[in-house]
Coordinates of all heavy atoms in Angstrom, one line a residue:
M21 N -4.0 -25.2 -21.3 CA -3.3 -24.5 -22.3 C -3.3 -23.0 -22.0 O -4.2 -22.4 -21.5 CB -4.1 -24.7 -23.6 CG -3.4 -24.0 -24.8 SD -4.1 -24.4 -26.4 CE -3.5 -26.0 -26.6
I22 N -2.1 -22.4 -22.2 CA -2.0 -21.0 -21.9 C -2.7 -20.1 -22.9 O -2.9 -20.6 -24.1 CB -0.5 -20.6 -21.8 CG1 0.2 -20.9 -23.1 CG2 0.2 -21.3 -20.7 CD1 1.6 -20.2 -23.2
K23 N -3.1 -19.0 -22.5 CA -3.9 -18.1 -23.4 C -3.3 -16.7 -23.7 O -3.8 -16.0 -24.5 CB -5.3 -17.9 -22.8 CG -6.0 -19.2 -22.7 CD -7.4 -19.1 -22.1 CE -7.9 -20.5 -22.0 NZ -9.2 -20.7 -21.8
S24 N -2.1 -16.4 -23.0 CA -1.5 -15.1 -23.2 C 0.0 -15.2 -23.0 O 0.5 -16.1 -22.4 CB -2.1 -14.1 -22.2 OG -1.6 -14.3 -20.9
V25 N 0.7 -14.2 -23.5 CA 2.1 -14.2 -23.4 C 2.5 -13.9 -21.9 O 3.4 -14.4 -21.4 CB 2.8 -13.1 -24.3 CG1 4.3 -13.0 -24.1 CG2 2.5 -13.6 -25.8
N26 N 1.7 -13.1 -21.2 CA 1.9 -12.9 -19.8 C 1.9 -14.2 -19.0 O 2.7 -14.5 -18.2 CB 0.9 -11.9 -19.2 CG 1.1 -10.5 -19.6 OD1 2.2 -10.1 -19.9 ND2 0.0 -9.7 -19.7
E27 N 0.9 -15.1 -19.3 CA 0.8 -16.4 -18.7 C 2.0 -17.3 -19.1 O 2.5 -18.0 -18.3 CB -0.5 -17.0 -19.1 CG -0.8 -18.3 -18.4 CD -2.2 -18.9 -18.8 OE1 -2.9 -18.3 -19.6 OE2 -2.4 -20.0 -18.3
Y28 N 2.4 -17.2 -20.4 CA 3.5 -17.9 -20.9 C 4.8 -17.6 -20.0 O 5.5 -18.5 -19.6 CB 3.8 -17.6 -22.3 CG 5.0 -18.1 -22.9 CD1 5.1 -19.4 -23.4 CD2 6.2 -17.3 -23.0 CE1 6.3 -19.9 -24.0 CE2 7.3 -17.8 -23.6 CZ 7.4 -19.1 -24.1 OH 8.5 -19.5 -24.7
L29 N 5.0 -16.3 -19.8 CA 6.2 -15.9 -19.0 C 6.1 -16.3 -17.5 O 7.2 -16.4 -16.9 CB 6.4 -14.4 -19.1 CG 6.7 -13.9 -20.5 CD1 6.6 -12.3 -20.6 CD2 8.1 -14.3 -21.0
V30 N 4.9 -16.5 -17.0 CA 4.8 -16.9 -15.6 C 4.9 -18.4 -15.5 O 5.5 -19.0 -14.6 CB 3.5 -16.4 -15.0 CG1 3.2 -17.0 -13.7 CG2 3.5 -14.9 -14.9
T31 N 4.1 -19.2 -16.3 CA 4.0 -20.6 -16.2 C 4.8 -21.4 -17.2 O 5.1 -22.6 -16.9 CB 2.6 -21.1 -16.3 OG1 2.1 -20.8 -17.6 CG2 1.7 -20.4 -15.3
G32 N 5.2 -20.8 -18.3 CA 5.9 -21.6 -19.3 C 4.9 -22.0 -20.4 O 3.7 -21.7 -20.3
C33 N 5.4 -22.8 -21.4 CA 4.5 -23.1 -22.5 C 3.6 -24.3 -22.1 O 2.6 -24.5 -22.8 CB 5.4 -23.5 -23.7 SG 6.3 -25.0 -23.5
M34 N 3.9 -25.0 -21.1 CA 3.1 -26.1 -20.6 C 3.1 -27.3 -21.6 O 2.2 -28.1 -21.6 CB 1.6 -25.7 -20.3 CG 1.6 -24.6 -19.2 SD 2.3 -25.0 -17.7 CE 1.2 -26.2 -17.1
R35 N 4.1 -27.4 -22.5 CA 4.1 -28.4 -23.4 C 5.0 -29.6 -22.9 O 5.0 -30.7 -23.6 CB 4.7 -27.9 -24.7 CG 3.8 -26.9 -25.4 CD 4.4 -26.2 -26.6 NE 4.5 -27.3 -27.6 CZ 5.2 -27.1 -28.8 NH1 5.8 -26.0 -29.0 NH2 5.3 -28.0 -29.7
C36 N 5.6 -29.5 -21.8 CA 6.4 -30.6 -21.3 C 6.2 -30.7 -19.8 O 5.5 -29.9 -19.2 CB 7.9 -30.4 -21.6 SG 8.7 -29.1 -20.6
K37 N 6.8 -31.7 -19.2 CA 6.5 -31.9 -17.7 C 7.1 -30.8 -16.8 O 6.7 -30.8 -15.7 CB 7.2 -33.3 -17.3 CG 8.7 -33.3 -17.4 CD 9.2 -34.7 -17.1 CE 10.7 -34.7 -17.2 NZ 11.3 -36.0 -16.9
F38 N 7.9 -29.9 -17.3 CA 8.5 -28.9 -16.5 C 7.6 -27.6 -16.5 O 8.0 -26.7 -15.8 CB 9.9 -28.5 -17.0 CG 10.8 -29.7 -16.9 CD1 11.4 -30.3 -18.0 CD2 11.1 -30.2 -15.6 CE1 12.2 -31.3 -17.9 CE2 12.0 -31.3 -15.5 CZ 12.5 -31.9 -16.6
G39 N 6.5 -27.6 -17.2 CA 5.7 -26.4 -17.2 C 5.2 -26.1 -15.8 O 4.9 -27.0 -15.0
A40 N 5.1 -24.8 -15.4 CA 4.7 -24.4 -14.1 C 5.6 -24.8 -13.0 O 5.1 -24.9 -11.9 CB 3.2 -24.8 -13.9
T41 N 6.8 -25.1 -13.3 CA 7.8 -25.5 -12.3 C 9.0 -24.6 -12.5 O 9.2 -24.0 -13.5 CB 8.3 -26.9 -12.4 OG1 9.2 -27.1 -13.5 CG2 7.1 -27.9 -12.5
P42 N 9.9 -24.5 -11.4 CA 11.1 -23.7 -11.6 C 12.0 -24.2 -12.6 O 12.9 -23.5 -13.1 CB 11.7 -23.8 -10.2 CG 10.7 -24.2 -9.3 CD 9.7 -25.0 -10.1
H43 N 11.9 -25.4 -13.1 CA 12.8 -26.0 -14.1 C 12.3 -25.7 -15.5 O 13.0 -26.1 -16.5 CB 12.8 -27.5 -13.9 CG 13.2 -27.9 -12.5 ND1 14.5 -27.7 -12.1 CD2 12.5 -28.5 -11.5 CE1 14.6 -28.1 -10.8 NE2 13.4 -28.6 -10.5
C44 N 11.2 -25.0 -15.7 CA 10.8 -24.7 -17.0 C 11.8 -23.8 -17.8 O 12.3 -22.8 -17.2 CB 9.4 -23.9 -16.9 SG 8.8 -23.4 -18.6
K45 N 12.1 -24.2 -19.0 CA 13.1 -23.4 -19.8 C 12.7 -22.0 -20.0 O 13.6 -21.1 -20.2 CB 13.3 -24.1 -21.1 CG 12.1 -24.3 -22.0 CD 12.3 -25.3 -23.1 CE 11.0 -25.5 -23.8 NZ 10.7 -26.9 -24.0
V46 N 11.4 -21.6 -20.0 CA 11.0 -20.3 -20.2 C 11.6 -19.4 -19.0 O 12.0 -18.3 -19.3 CB 9.5 -20.1 -20.2 CG1 9.0 -18.7 -20.2 CG2 8.9 -20.8 -21.5
H47 N 11.6 -19.9 -17.8 CA 12.1 -19.2 -16.7 C 13.6 -18.9 -16.8 O 14.1 -17.9 -16.3 CB 11.8 -19.9 -15.4 CG 10.4 -20.1 -15.1 ND1 9.4 -19.1 -15.1 CD2 9.7 -21.3 -14.9 CE1 8.2 -19.6 -15.0 NE2 8.3 -20.9 -14.8
T48 N 14.3 -19.8 -17.5 CA 15.8 -19.6 -17.7 C 16.0 -18.3 -18.5 O 17.0 -17.6 -18.2 CB 16.4 -20.8 -18.4 OG1 16.1 -22.0 -17.7 CG2 17.9 -20.6 -18.6
W49 N 15.2 -18.0 -19.4 CA 15.4 -16.9 -20.3 C 14.4 -15.8 -20.1 O 14.2 -15.0 -21.1 CB 15.3 -17.4 -21.7 CG 16.2 -18.6 -22.0 CD1 15.8 -19.9 -22.2 CD2 17.6 -18.5 -22.1 NE1 16.9 -20.6 -22.4 CE2 18.0 -19.8 -22.4 CE3 18.5 -17.5 -22.0 CZ2 19.4 -20.1 -22.5 CZ3 19.9 -17.8 -22.2 CH2 20.3 -19.1 -22.4
K50 N 13.8 -15.6 -19.0 CA 12.7 -14.7 -18.8 C 13.0 -13.2 -19.2 O 12.3 -12.6 -19.9 CB 12.1 -14.7 -17.4 CG 10.9 -13.9 -17.2 CD 10.2 -14.0 -15.9 CE 8.9 -13.2 -15.9 NZ 8.2 -13.3 -14.7
E51 N 14.2 -12.7 -18.7 CA 14.6 -11.4 -19.0 C 14.8 -11.2 -20.5 O 14.3 -10.2 -21.1 CB 15.8 -11.0 -18.3 CG 15.6 -10.7 -16.8 CD 16.9 -10.3 -16.2 OE1 17.7 -9.6 -16.8 OE2 17.1 -10.7 -15.0
E52 N 15.4 -12.1 -21.2 CA 15.7 -12.1 -22.6 C 14.4 -12.2 -23.4 O 14.2 -11.4 -24.4 CB 16.6 -13.2 -23.0 CG 18.0 -13.0 -22.5 CD 18.2 -13.6 -21.1 OE1 17.3 -14.0 -20.4 OE2 19.4 -13.6 -20.6
L53 N 13.5 -13.0 -23.0 CA 12.2 -13.1 -23.6 C 11.4 -11.9 -23.5 O 10.7 -11.5 -24.5 CB 11.4 -14.3 -23.1 CG 12.0 -15.7 -23.3 CD1 11.2 -16.8 -22.5 CD2 12.1 -16.0 -24.8
E54 N 11.4 -11.2 -22.4 CA 10.7 -10.0 -22.2 C 11.3 -8.9 -23.1 O 10.6 -8.1 -23.7 CB 10.7 -9.5 -20.7 CG 9.8 -10.4 -19.9 CD 10.0 -10.1 -18.4 OE1 11.0 -9.5 -17.9 OE2 9.0 -10.5 -17.6
A55 N 12.6 -8.9 -23.3 CA 13.3 -7.9 -24.2 C 12.8 -8.2 -25.7 O 12.5 -7.2 -26.4 CB 14.8 -8.0 -24.1
L56 N 12.8 -9.5 -26.1 CA 12.3 -9.8 -27.4 C 10.9 -9.4 -27.6 O 10.5 -8.9 -28.6 CB 12.5 -11.3 -27.7 CG 13.9 -11.8 -28.0 CD1 13.9 -13.3 -28.1 CD2 14.4 -11.2 -29.3
R57 N 10.1 -9.6 -26.6 CA 8.7 -9.3 -26.6 C 8.5 -7.8 -26.9 O 7.7 -7.3 -27.7 CB 8.0 -9.7 -25.3 CG 6.5 -9.3 -25.3 CD 5.9 -9.6 -23.9 NE 4.5 -9.6 -24.0 CZ 3.7 -9.5 -22.9 NH1 4.3 -9.6 -21.7 NH2 2.4 -9.5 -23.0
S58 N 9.3 -7.0 -26.1 CA 9.2 -5.5 -26.3 C 9.6 -5.1 -27.7 O 9.0 -4.2 -28.3 CB 10.2 -4.9 -25.3 OG 10.2 -3.5 -25.4
I59 N 10.6 -5.7 -28.3 CA 11.0 -5.4 -29.6 C 9.9 -5.8 -30.6 O 9.5 -5.0 -31.5 CB 12.3 -6.2 -30.0 CG1 13.5 -5.6 -29.2 CG2 12.5 -6.1 -31.5 CD1 14.7 -6.5 -29.3
M60 N 9.3 -6.9 -30.5 CA 8.2 -7.3 -31.4 C 7.0 -6.4 -31.3 O 6.4 -6.0 -32.3 CB 7.7 -8.7 -31.0 CG 8.7 -9.9 -31.2 SD 9.4 -9.9 -32.8 CE 11.1 -10.0 -32.3
L61 N 6.7 -6.0 -30.1 CA 5.5 -5.1 -29.9 C 5.8 -3.7 -30.4 O 5.0 -3.0 -31.0 CB 5.1 -5.0 -28.4 CG 4.5 -6.3 -27.9 CD1 4.2 -6.2 -26.4 CD2 3.3 -6.7 -28.7
S62 N 7.1 -3.3 -30.4 CA 7.5 -2.0 -30.9 C 7.4 -1.9 -32.4 O 7.4 -0.9 -33.0 CB 8.9 -1.6 -30.5 OG 9.9 -2.3 -31.1
C63 N 7.4 -3.1 -33.1 CA 7.3 -3.2 -34.5 C 5.8 -3.2 -35.0 O 5.5 -3.5 -36.1 CB 7.9 -4.5 -35.0 SG 9.7 -4.5 -34.8
K64 N 4.9 -3.0 -34.0 CA 3.5 -3.0 -34.3 C 2.9 -4.3 -34.8 O 1.9 -4.4 -35.5 CB 3.1 -1.9 -35.3 CG 3.7 -0.5 -35.0 CD 3.0 0.1 -33.8 CE 3.5 1.5 -33.6 NZ 3.8 1.8 -32.2
L65 N 3.5 -5.4 -34.3 CA 3.0 -6.7 -34.6 C 2.0 -7.1 -33.6 O 2.0 -6.6 -32.4 CB 4.1 -7.8 -34.6 CG 5.2 -7.6 -35.7 CD1 6.3 -8.5 -35.5 CD2 4.6 -7.7 -37.1
T66 N 1.0 -7.9 -33.9 CA 0.0 -8.4 -33.0 C 0.5 -9.6 -32.3 O 1.0 -10.5 -32.9 CB -1.3 -8.7 -33.8 OG1 -1.7 -7.6 -34.5 CG2 -2.4 -9.2 -32.8
E67 N 0.3 -9.6 -31.0 CA 0.8 -10.7 -30.1 C -0.3 -11.7 -29.9 O -1.4 -11.4 -29.5 CB 1.3 -10.1 -28.8 CG 1.9 -11.1 -27.8 CD 2.4 -10.3 -26.6 OE1 1.6 -9.9 -25.8 OE2 3.6 -10.2 -26.5
E68 N 0.1 -13.0 -30.1 CA -0.9 -14.1 -29.8 C -0.1 -15.3 -29.3 O 1.1 -15.3 -29.3 CB -1.5 -14.5 -31.1 CG -2.3 -13.5 -31.9 CD -2.9 -14.0 -33.2 OE1 -3.4 -15.1 -33.2 OE2 -2.8 -13.2 -34.2
I69 N -0.8 -16.3 -28.8 CA -0.2 -17.5 -28.4 C -0.7 -18.6 -29.4 O -1.9 -18.7 -29.7 CB -0.6 -18.0 -27.0 CG1 0.0 -17.1 -25.9 CG2 -0.3 -19.5 -26.8 CD1 1.5 -17.3 -25.8
K70 N 0.3 -19.3 -30.1 CA 0.0 -20.3 -31.0 C 1.0 -21.5 -30.7 O 2.2 -21.2 -30.5 CB 0.1 -19.9 -32.4 CG -0.9 -18.8 -32.8 CD -0.9 -18.6 -34.3 CE -2.0 -17.6 -34.6 NZ -2.0 -17.3 -36.1
W71 N 0.4 -22.7 -30.6 CA 1.2 -23.9 -30.4 C 2.0 -23.7 -29.0 O 3.1 -24.2 -28.9 CB 2.2 -24.2 -31.5 CG 1.5 -24.3 -32.8 CD1 0.7 -25.3 -33.2 CD2 1.4 -23.3 -33.8 NE1 0.2 -25.0 -34.5 CE2 0.6 -23.8 -34.9 CE3 2.0 -22.0 -34.0 CZ2 0.3 -23.0 -36.0 CZ3 1.7 -21.3 -35.1 CH2 0.9 -21.8 -36.1
G72 N 1.4 -23.0 -28.1 CA 2.0 -22.8 -26.8 C 3.1 -21.8 -26.7 O 3.8 -21.7 -25.7
M73 N 3.4 -21.0 -27.8 CA 4.5 -20.1 -27.8 C 4.0 -18.7 -28.3 O 3.0 -18.6 -29.0 CB 5.6 -20.6 -28.7 CG 6.2 -21.9 -28.3 SD 7.4 -22.5 -29.5 CE 6.4 -23.1 -30.8
P74 N 4.7 -17.6 -27.9 CA 4.3 -16.3 -28.4 C 4.5 -16.3 -29.9 O 5.5 -16.7 -30.5 CB 5.3 -15.4 -27.7 CG 5.8 -16.1 -26.5 CD 5.8 -17.6 -26.9
C75 N 3.5 -15.8 -30.6 CA 3.5 -15.7 -32.1 C 3.1 -14.2 -32.4 O 2.2 -13.7 -31.8 CB 2.5 -16.7 -32.7 SG 2.5 -16.6 -34.5
Y76 N 3.8 -13.6 -33.3 CA 3.6 -12.3 -33.7 C 3.1 -12.2 -35.1 O 3.7 -12.8 -36.0 CB 4.8 -11.4 -33.4 CG 5.1 -11.4 -32.0 CD1 5.9 -12.4 -31.4 CD2 4.6 -10.4 -31.2 CE1 6.1 -12.4 -30.0 CE2 4.8 -10.4 -29.8 CZ 5.5 -11.4 -29.2 OH 5.7 -11.5 -27.9
T77 N 2.0 -11.5 -35.3 CA 1.3 -11.6 -36.6 C 1.2 -10.2 -37.2 O 1.2 -9.2 -36.4 CB -0.1 -12.2 -36.5 OG1 -0.9 -11.4 -35.7 CG2 0.0 -13.6 -35.9
S78 N 0.9 -10.1 -38.5 CA 0.6 -8.9 -39.1 C -0.5 -9.2 -40.1 O -0.4 -10.1 -40.9 CB 1.8 -8.3 -39.9 OG 1.5 -7.1 -40.6
E79 N -1.6 -8.4 -40.0 CA -2.8 -8.6 -40.8 C -3.2 -10.1 -40.8 O -3.6 -10.7 -41.9 CB -2.5 -8.1 -42.2 CG -2.2 -6.6 -42.3 CD -1.9 -6.1 -43.6 OE1 -2.1 -6.8 -44.6 OE2 -1.5 -4.9 -43.7
G80 N -3.2 -10.7 -39.7 CA -3.6 -12.1 -39.5 C -2.7 -13.2 -40.0 O -3.0 -14.4 -40.0
K81 N -1.5 -12.8 -40.5 CA -0.5 -13.8 -40.9 C 0.6 -13.9 -39.9 O 1.1 -12.9 -39.4 CB 0.1 -13.3 -42.3 CG -1.0 -13.3 -43.3 CD -0.4 -12.9 -44.7 CE -1.6 -12.7 -45.7 NZ -1.7 -13.8 -46.5
N82 N 1.0 -15.2 -39.6 CA 2.1 -15.4 -38.7 C 3.4 -14.9 -39.3 O 3.8 -15.2 -40.5 CB 2.3 -16.9 -38.5 CG 1.1 -17.5 -37.9 OD1 0.2 -16.8 -37.3 ND2 0.9 -18.8 -38.0
I83 N 4.2 -14.1 -38.5 CA 5.4 -13.5 -39.0 C 6.6 -14.1 -38.2 O 7.5 -14.7 -38.8 CB 5.5 -12.0 -38.8 CG1 4.3 -11.4 -39.5 CG2 6.8 -11.4 -39.3 CD1 4.2 -11.6 -41.0
L84 N 6.5 -14.0 -36.9 CA 7.6 -14.5 -36.0 C 7.1 -15.2 -34.8 O 6.0 -14.9 -34.3 CB 8.5 -13.3 -35.5 CG 9.1 -12.4 -36.6 CD1 9.6 -11.1 -35.9 CD2 10.3 -13.2 -37.2
M85 N 7.9 -16.2 -34.3 CA 7.6 -16.8 -33.0 C 8.8 -16.8 -32.1 O 9.9 -16.8 -32.6 CB 7.2 -18.3 -33.2 CG 5.9 -18.4 -34.0 SD 5.4 -20.1 -34.2 CE 4.7 -20.3 -32.5
I86 N 8.6 -16.6 -30.8 CA 9.6 -16.7 -29.8 C 9.7 -18.1 -29.3 O 8.6 -18.6 -28.9 CB 9.4 -15.7 -28.7 CG1 9.5 -14.2 -29.2 CG2 10.4 -15.9 -27.6 CD1 9.3 -13.2 -28.2
K87 N 10.9 -18.7 -29.2 CA 11.0 -20.0 -28.8 C 12.1 -20.2 -27.7 O 13.0 -19.3 -27.7 CB 11.2 -21.0 -29.9 CG 12.5 -20.8 -30.6 CD 12.8 -21.8 -31.7 CE 14.2 -21.7 -32.2 NZ 14.6 -22.8 -33.0
T88 N 12.0 -21.2 -26.9 CA 13.1 -21.5 -26.0 C 13.4 -23.0 -26.0 O 12.6 -23.8 -26.4 CB 12.7 -21.2 -24.5 OG1 11.5 -22.0 -24.2 CG2 12.3 -19.7 -24.4
T89 N 14.7 -23.3 -25.7 CA 15.1 -24.6 -25.5 C 15.9 -24.6 -24.2 O 16.1 -23.6 -23.6 CB 16.0 -25.2 -26.6 OG1 17.3 -24.5 -26.6 CG2 15.3 -25.0 -28.0
K90 N 16.4 -25.7 -23.8 CA 17.2 -25.8 -22.5 C 18.4 -24.9 -22.6 O 18.7 -24.3 -21.6 CB 17.6 -27.3 -22.3 CG 18.3 -27.5 -21.0 CD 18.5 -29.0 -20.8 CE 19.2 -29.2 -19.4 NZ 19.4 -30.7 -19.2
Y91 N 19.0 -24.8 -23.7 CA 20.3 -24.0 -23.8 C 20.2 -22.7 -24.6 O 21.1 -22.0 -24.6 CB 21.4 -24.9 -24.4 CG 21.6 -26.1 -23.6 CD1 21.2 -27.4 -24.0 CD2 22.2 -26.0 -22.3 CE1 21.4 -28.5 -23.3 CE2 22.4 -27.2 -21.5 CZ 22.0 -28.4 -22.0 OH 22.2 -29.5 -21.3
T92 N 19.1 -22.5 -25.3 CA 19.0 -21.3 -26.1 C 17.6 -20.7 -26.1 O 16.6 -21.3 -25.6 CB 19.3 -21.6 -27.6 OG1 18.3 -22.5 -28.1 CG2 20.7 -22.2 -27.8
F93 N 17.5 -19.5 -26.6 CA 16.2 -18.9 -26.9 C 16.3 -18.1 -28.2 O 17.5 -17.9 -28.7 CB 15.8 -17.9 -25.8 CG 16.7 -16.7 -25.7 CD1 16.3 -15.5 -26.4 CD2 17.9 -16.7 -25.1 CE1 17.1 -14.4 -26.4 CE2 18.7 -15.6 -25.0 CZ 18.3 -14.4 -25.7
G94 N 15.2 -17.8 -28.8 CA 15.4 -17.0 -30.1 C 14.1 -16.8 -30.7 O 13.0 -17.0 -30.2
V95 N 14.2 -16.2 -32.0 CA 13.0 -15.9 -32.8 C 13.1 -16.8 -34.0 O 14.1 -17.0 -34.6 CB 13.1 -14.4 -33.2 CG1 12.0 -14.1 -34.2 CG2 13.0 -13.5 -32.0
T96 N 11.9 -17.3 -34.3 CA 11.8 -18.1 -35.5 C 10.9 -17.4 -36.5 O 9.8 -17.0 -36.1 CB 11.2 -19.5 -35.2 OG1 12.0 -20.2 -34.3 CG2 11.0 -20.4 -36.5
R97 N 11.3 -17.2 -37.7 CA 10.4 -16.5 -38.6 C 9.7 -17.6 -39.4 O 10.2 -18.6 -39.7 CB 11.2 -15.5 -39.5 CG 12.2 -16.2 -40.4 CD 12.9 -15.1 -41.2 NE 14.0 -15.8 -41.8 CZ 14.8 -15.2 -42.7 NH1 14.6 -14.0 -43.0 NH2 15.8 -15.8 -43.3
V98 N 8.5 -17.2 -39.8 CA 7.6 -18.1 -40.6 C 7.9 -17.7 -42.1 O 7.2 -16.8 -42.6 CB 6.1 -17.9 -40.2 CG1 5.3 -18.9 -41.0 CG2 6.0 -18.2 -38.7
I99 N 8.8 -18.4 -42.7 CA 9.3 -17.9 -44.0 C 8.2 -17.9 -45.1 O 8.1 -16.9 -45.9 CB 10.5 -18.8 -44.5 CG1 11.6 -18.6 -43.5 CG2 10.9 -18.5 -45.9 CD1 12.8 -19.5 -43.7
S100 N 7.4 -18.9 -45.2 CA 6.4 -18.9 -46.3 C 5.5 -17.7 -46.2 O 5.1 -17.2 -47.3 CB 5.6 -20.2 -46.2 OG 4.8 -20.3 -45.0
L101 N 5.1 -17.3 -45.0 CA 4.3 -16.1 -44.9 C 5.0 -14.8 -45.1 O 4.6 -13.9 -45.6 CB 3.5 -16.1 -43.6 CG 2.5 -17.3 -43.5 CD1 1.9 -17.3 -42.1 CD2 1.4 -17.2 -44.5
A102 N 6.3 -14.8 -44.6 CA 7.1 -13.7 -44.8 C 7.4 -13.4 -46.3 O 7.4 -12.2 -46.7 CB 8.4 -13.8 -44.1
R103 N 7.4 -14.4 -47.1 CA 7.6 -14.2 -48.5 C 6.4 -13.4 -49.1 O 6.6 -12.5 -50.0 CB 7.7 -15.5 -49.3 CG 9.0 -16.2 -49.1 CD 9.0 -17.5 -49.9 NE 10.3 -18.2 -49.7 CZ 10.4 -19.5 -49.8 NH1 9.4 -20.2 -50.1 NH2 11.6 -20.0 -49.6
E104 N 5.2 -13.7 -48.6 CA 4.0 -13.0 -49.1 C 4.0 -11.5 -48.8 O 3.5 -10.7 -49.6 CB 2.8 -13.6 -48.5 CG 2.5 -15.0 -49.0 CD 1.2 -15.6 -48.3 OE1 0.4 -14.8 -47.9 OE2 1.2 -16.8 -48.2
I105 N 4.6 -11.2 -47.7 CA 4.6 -9.7 -47.3 C 5.9 -9.0 -47.4 O 6.1 -8.0 -46.9 CB 4.0 -9.6 -45.9 CG1 4.8 -10.3 -44.9 CG2 2.5 -10.1 -45.9 CD1 4.4 -10.0 -43.5
N106 N 6.8 -9.6 -48.1 CA 8.2 -9.1 -48.3 C 8.1 -7.6 -48.7 O 8.8 -6.8 -48.2 CB 9.0 -9.9 -49.3 CG 10.4 -9.4 -49.4 OD1 11.0 -9.0 -48.5 ND2 10.9 -9.4 -50.6
S107 N 7.3 -7.3 -49.7 CA 7.2 -5.9 -50.2 C 6.7 -4.9 -49.1 O 7.1 -3.8 -49.1 CB 6.3 -5.8 -51.4 OG 5.0 -6.2 -51.0
E108 N 6.0 -5.4 -48.1 CA 5.5 -4.6 -47.1 C 6.5 -4.3 -45.9 O 6.6 -3.2 -45.5 CB 4.2 -5.1 -46.5 CG 3.1 -5.2 -47.5 CD 1.8 -5.8 -46.9 OE1 1.6 -5.7 -45.8 OE2 1.2 -6.5 -47.7
I109 N 7.1 -5.4 -45.5 CA 8.0 -5.3 -44.3 C 9.4 -5.7 -44.5 O 10.2 -5.5 -43.6 CB 7.4 -5.9 -43.0 CG1 7.2 -7.4 -43.3 CG2 6.1 -5.3 -42.6 CD1 6.7 -8.2 -42.1
G110 N 9.7 -6.4 -45.6 CA 11.1 -6.7 -45.9 C 11.8 -7.7 -45.0 O 13.0 -7.6 -44.8
F111 N 11.1 -8.7 -44.4 CA 11.7 -9.6 -43.5 C 12.4 -10.8 -44.2 O 13.3 -11.4 -43.7 CB 10.7 -10.3 -42.6 CG 10.3 -9.5 -41.4 CD1 9.2 -9.8 -40.7 CD2 11.1 -8.4 -40.9 CE1 8.8 -9.0 -39.6 CE2 10.8 -7.7 -39.8 CZ 9.6 -8.0 -39.1
Y112 N 12.1 -11.0 -45.5 CA 12.6 -12.2 -46.2 C 13.4 -11.8 -47.4 O 12.9 -10.9 -48.2 CB 11.5 -13.2 -46.5 CG 12.0 -14.4 -47.2 CD1 12.5 -15.4 -46.5 CD2 11.9 -14.5 -48.6 CE1 13.0 -16.6 -47.1 CE2 12.4 -15.7 -49.2 CZ 12.9 -16.7 -48.4 OH 13.4 -17.8 -49.1
Q113 N 14.5 -12.4 -47.7 CA 15.2 -12.2 -48.9 C 15.5 -13.6 -49.5 O 16.0 -14.5 -48.8 CB 16.5 -11.5 -48.7 CG 16.3 -10.1 -48.2 CD 17.6 -9.4 -47.9 OE1 18.7 -10.0 -47.7 NE2 17.6 -8.1 -48.0
E114 N 15.4 -13.7 -50.8 CA 15.8 -14.9 -51.5 C 17.3 -15.0 -51.6 O 18.0 -14.0 -51.8 CB 15.2 -15.0 -53.0 CG 13.7 -15.1 -53.0 CD 13.2 -16.5 -52.7 OE1 14.0 -17.5 -52.8 OE2 12.1 -16.7 -52.4
H115 N 17.9 -16.2 -51.5 CA 19.3 -16.4 -51.6 C 19.6 -17.2 -52.8 O 19.0 -18.1 -53.2 CB 19.9 -17.1 -50.4 CG 19.7 -16.2 -49.1 ND1 20.4 -15.0 -49.0 CD2 19.0 -16.5 -48.0 CE1 20.0 -14.5 -47.8 NE2 19.2 -15.4 -47.2

């Protein structure tokens, strides 16, 4: 199991058979993932690995996760926790 985002960017999430191989989906999006990581860190979020993926927290609460698939990459927000801190950082709006 990976322990840091640096390790994630080098080996992948290790959740499938392609981990630590050139076929790992993390390698497909390495530059983009590094750019997202830079943005998350500039927001003063704490960087951790949870469930094999980069997770960004604030005051111990999960806020965002970076994810990859074969054809896409992106950020997933943890809505239930974002609701709790809406007044502090404004990530979530009711529709």
